[in-house]
Amino acid sequence: MGISFDYYHRTSEPLHHETAQDFFLKLYKKGDEFEERTVEQYYDEDFHQFLADRYIVGTCPRCGHPEAYGDQCEKCGSDLSPSELINPRSTLSGKTPILRPTKHWYFKLDKHAGWLREWIATGVLDGKQHHDPRQWRKHVVGQCLSWLDGGLQPRAITRDLDWGIALPLSEQEAAGKVLYVWFDAPIGYISSTKQWALENGKDWEAYWKGGDDVKLIHFIGKDNIVFHCIVFPAMLKAYGDFVLPYNVPANQFLNFEGQKFSKSRGWGIEQHEYLEDFKDFPNKEDALRYALLRNLPENRDSDFKWDEFVDFHDKDLADNLGNFVNRVAVLTHKYYDGVVPAVDGPW
Ligand SMILES: [Zn+2]
């Protein structure tokens, strides 16, 4: 597709594990960022493990869809929690899971609500203008403020899983506990910068703790707004010294022929198939890039349709742009001997 990575790093790298554990430990030692809670969670007795939200399916309490997941119903789009499912069952054993007590660490997001609201609504942070809130997309600000209006709750940042980043606490205190993926994933931006800096003789802190010289911008989809505008900024502020996002230009969803893209349902376009289907077209990459830009879901969901793709290509690119370039070239040869004439304004 004519795309290359400036830098590629993974959250499975040891440097990331260290960075994420350091982050947890610093907040843990501050003493008032986390609270420990014992909660009841679904457990599969045959497989001897607590079940992540996606490992529990059941009937959606809102629409009756029998295959809703523990965190979401794909039929009606509702956000769910596992305890809301009717007739829950484990995707591992197929059996009904039991509830068992387990201890988790909760990040006290509620404690950060005050400054988060001021920062998002006015762009003011620690009494200084941090960014211009008019440059943020309205739907991003609107979504954040509606979360804040609903009241932020402490959020579990650990899980019982046999993979992931182990909690850097004693075995006795935290056996089998790992960091929740949305706690460690954004820290991956920091560890990636660290690794890049190591390999290129740079100072990573200049990019994350450089004060007003640094502009941290997250390009994401709207389903990740809460993590990049609320949770991660609160983590960064709690740690101290880090810059906060300057802007989070989140896009809305791009659908395909009127429905959500879905890998599991095979609804969408696979990149390798596109390249194969259009292999005889020399500018196939740019044609698709243009169609995606033309349809970018900046402020509302948009739709990719094959007949529009053909129109964008034939009318916009070939007819309009192609004709314009062709005329300019032909007339430049006809009237100016093929040399771009000097501008003799004023226009
Ligand atoms: Zn549903």
Side-chain angles (χ1 to χ4, degrees):
M1 295 305 301
I3 296 168
S4 62
F5 291 109
D6 293 317
Y7 191 69
Y8 188 77
H9 194 243
R10 301 180 66 109
T11 52
S12 51
E13 296 289 332
L15 181 68
H16 174 68
H17 280 236
E18 280 166 34
T19 306
Q21 288 175 332
D22 162 74
F23 214 103
F24 173 88
L25 218 46
K26 170 111 180 212
L27 268 49
Y28 178 83
K29 285 180 177 162
K30 291 184 93 171
D32 61 348
E33 296 294 345
F34 297 150
E35 67 184 52
E36 292 176 26
R37 285 187 191 177
T38 298
V39 291
E40 302 254 290
Q41 280 187 351
Y42 281 122
Y43 183 87
D44 188 317
E45 286 180 299
D46 288 6
F47 280 73
H48 310 289
Q49 59 176 276
F50 284 100
L51 296 167
D53 296 349
R54 287 264 148 170
Y55 287 155
I56 308 164
V57 292
T59 301
C60 172
R62 315 248 201 284
C63 75
H65 178 52
E67 301 289 330
Y69 291 109
D71 59 349
Q72 195 193 33
C73 171
E74 293 207 328
K75 182 99 178 272
C76 69
S78 301
D79 287 325
L80 301 171
S81 69
S83 59
E84 291 179 278
L85 291 177
I86 300 159
N87 298 322
R89 55 188 195 280
S90 164
T91 60
L92 299 176
S93 65
K95 293 186 183 163
T96 306
I98 59 157
L99 283 169
R100 258 205 189 183
T102 179
K103 183 174 73 173
H104 284 295
W105 281 259
Y106 284 68
F107 179 36
K108 296 194 220 166
L109 267 185
D110 46 321
K111 183 184 133 162
H112 295 278
W115 70 261
L116 278 168
R117 176 183 294 279
E118 184 179 32
W119 173 63
I120 289 164
T122 67
V124 171
L125 179 66
D126 298 326
K128 278 186 2 193
Q129 198 67 42
H130 170 266
H131 64 264
D132 181 349
R134 291 168 305 180
Q135 289 178 354
W136 283 41
R137 290 184 183 167
K138 281 200 177 68
H139 74 97
V140 174
V141 173
Q143 220 186 87
C144 292
L145 293 179
S146 90
W147 269 309
L148 287 159
D149 289 345
L152 297 183
Q153 303 297 325
R155 198 173 175 110
I157 50 115
T158 55
R159 291 288 187 273
D160 292 289
L161 284 175
D162 55 6
W163 59 273
I165 296 175
L167 249 62
L169 301 175
S170 71
E171 185 72 4
Q172 189 190 8
E173 207 179 352
K177 308 290 177 190
V178 298
L179 294 174
Y180 172 47
V181 65
W182 270 112
F183 184 84
D184 94 72
I187 296 172
Y189 307 145
I190 300 167
S191 45
S192 172
T193 313
K194 278 186 174 177
Q195 186 67 40
W196 169 84
L198 267 176
E199 289 167 21
N200 291 279
K202 306 270 189 186
D203 171 18
W204 73 270
E205 292 194 328
Y207 294 85
W208 280 96
K209 302 182 177 182
D212 293 342
D213 290 342
V214 178
K215 304 264 186 287
L216 173 63
I217 297 175
H218 295 297
F219 294 94
I220 54 161
K222 67 175 167 185
D223 49 337
N224 291 334
I225 290 173
V226 65
F227 300 108
H228 290 83
C229 297
I230 307 259
V231 182
F232 190 43
M235 288 164 56
L236 293 169
K237 187 84 159 45
Y239 191 105
D241 302 337
F242 281 98
V243 295
L244 260 54
Y246 183 73
N247 201 342
V248 183
N251 281 321
Q252 308 240 2
F253 292 148
L254 178 73
N255 294 313
F256 179 62
E257 299 282 0
Q259 289 181 49
K260 274 175 99 166
F261 277 87
S262 166
K263 255 193 178 316
S264 55
R265 286 185 292 113
W267 188 254
I269 308 164
E270 293 280 348
Q271 178 176 271
H272 65 273
E273 288 173 1
Y274 176 85
L275 292 173
E276 181 59 26
D277 289 349
F278 292 93
K279 64 176 183 300
D280 299 327
F281 291 79
N283 295 316
K284 56 190 172 299
E285 297 89 352
D286 285 335
L288 185 57
R289 185 171 285 119
Y290 175 76
L292 291 171
L293 280 173
R294 180 82 153 69
N295 233 344
L296 193 67
E298 283 185 278
N299 294 308
R300 63 188 64 81
D301 291 353
S302 67
D303 213 358
F304 183 95
K305 295 193 173 84
W306 278 119
D307 57 357
E308 276 184 358
F309 171 72
V310 172
D311 275 356
F312 291 159
H313 181 270
D314 293 357
K315 292 184 183 158
D316 288 8
L317 293 178
D319 290 356
N320 294 341
L321 187 64
N323 256 327
F324 170 69
V325 173
N326 183 263
R327 270 168 193 243
V328 169
V330 167
L331 294 177
T332 306
H333 279 283
K334 189 166 169 186
Y335 295 113
Y336 299 100
D337 299 323
V339 177
V340 177
V343 175
D344 55 355
W347 294 340

